[in-house]
Amino acid sequence: MSRNPHPEVDVPRPLPLRALAREALRGLARDGAPRWRSTAAVFTSMTALAATSLVPGPALAEPLAPPCALTRTDAHHSEGVDTWNSAYVRPTRPLDAVMVFLSFPDSTPRTTPAELTGDYFPATSRFFERASYGRFTVRPHPQRAWIQMPRPSTSYAIQRDWDASDRAAYLRDALAVADPRVDFSRYDVVYFVADPDAPGVDSDATKVVNLDAPLHADGKDIRRVVTVFEKHPPDRLVLAHETGHVFDLPDLYHRPSDGKGDWDTYVGDWDLMGSQFGLSPDLFGWHKWRLGWLESHQVACVQGSGVTRLTLEPLGAGPVSAAAGARAGGAPGGGVPGGGVPAAAVPTAVVPASASAAPSGPRTSWHQRLASSRGSEAATYGPRAPSRGPGAATSPNGVGVAALPGSQSFGSGRGTKLAVVQTGPDSVLAFEARGSAGNDDATCTQGVLVYRVRSETESGSGPIQVLDAHPHTEACWEDSVYPPLADAPVGLGESFTVPGAKVRVEVEDRTVSGAWTVKITTG
């Protein structure tokens, strides 16, 4: 049985109504050889398919920073970081993903598998390479041809809140027709991509299906499947959002009961798991810590009462250059600490040369800026930090210091990416510097972002909430998914007292490397 009694809603966000109105005002429109095996051996359990959380198995106990690492709870996609949920694969190495393209007898596809692959890759791989500082990427393995389902698309009643029996029939048929052509034992992630033009396909139904009873194929248990029903071209970063669920990340948006209100009141633009349309979609530092992309010395646990001064390195800043990463070379395999690999060493995708580098979408200016930034990674990520390395805490209250000068680094320097103040047994305040770097290239404001994390709160119910340092103003109305939080960060020379907590943060200075000097007062 699942620990989560409620239906899982691991689905991407629809385009916000505000954005649709803005676009209308602007006048813009979006426009292998078969293997013979016994079919009976493919399935051992096709009952009890449900979009609910898989029961977590024994944790892989990887101790993190005990002073401020919240305990993982039974909440669906809990934000606890003390241990990793072994029911999910941890993205600390490149993972292989198969893309299976499904057509239907009631429609002839108007796009090719190659075109649909280009909708998602290398954009998805690049997002994760940047977010993980080169530690992780998704390696796509797209099938070359459409595989036809046995029933018309309309017979599966595909929709956002999908009936469990219809969803089970879809998955059963998809695995049955794909298994003779796909060796599922080779892959870590499974994407079932439906013909976007089939009459029964609903783009709002894209989601991750977690299975109480796994599917079985090629001697492998398939515990979760990403079912893709996106239109062509798809919503921006939608596959990256869904892939985040494969790694146990929660939905951070708020779904209005009537479906007509704001979806982005919890985190606004500030994390991909809130909105794939956000201007600053890089994953929170808290998520990067959970996923294994930050080392313990890059997380400062602020304890006790008093004043702590530290320097926060920009969260989105990545490797200085491929050459610098190759010269550093100290980790196993010549990679970054912890067994990762430099971003330039990770193959991003296996796609035709004609494939699009990124999906088109309603925010054309964002894509133009992103495309231009890809031409110069070093310029995007910024200069190398001083040899001392930003991030060393200047108070005994700060736990987590910079690595030693000369040691191999990742990120733009050797310093702190995240500061944490524990406020309760299942809650913390987190502080991180956000600016125009990496995945946040299109951000509209910069500064030190403050947010609250609760490990007991379920996915979709606000496990992370951004705190607004400027509650009476908003910013970037034309582009932000939620302008009231677009100017949430504490800017240079500003201070912010957290409501209901004896915690105050002041942004005192910027270093020559672009890091932020911060004073945190507690008690």
Side-chain angles (χ1 to χ4, degrees), residues 50-71:
T52 56
S53 173
L54 183 71
V55 176
L60 296 179
E62 180 183 342
L64 299 176
C68 59
L70 292 178
T71 300

Side-chain angles (χ1 to χ4, degrees), residues 204-261:
D204 205 28
T206 295
K207 71 175 299 174
V208 172
V209 180
N210 292 332
L211 305 171
D212 283 334
L215 307 179
H216 301 274
D218 303 310
K220 183 183 181 72
D221 285 346
I222 302 174
R223 299 184 179 275
R224 52 191 49 84
V225 176
V226 184
T227 53
V228 181
F229 300 104
E230 294 297 302
K231 54 189 172 294
H232 169 69
D235 287 336
R236 178 166 68 90
L237 293 178
V238 63
L239 197 65
H241 172 101
E242 290 307 313
T243 305
H245 289 311
V246 175
F247 310 136
D248 200 22
L249 294 183
D251 279 318
L252 299 183
Y253 56 77
H254 163 253
R255 184 178 181 181
S257 57
D258 60 1
K260 298 179 181 179

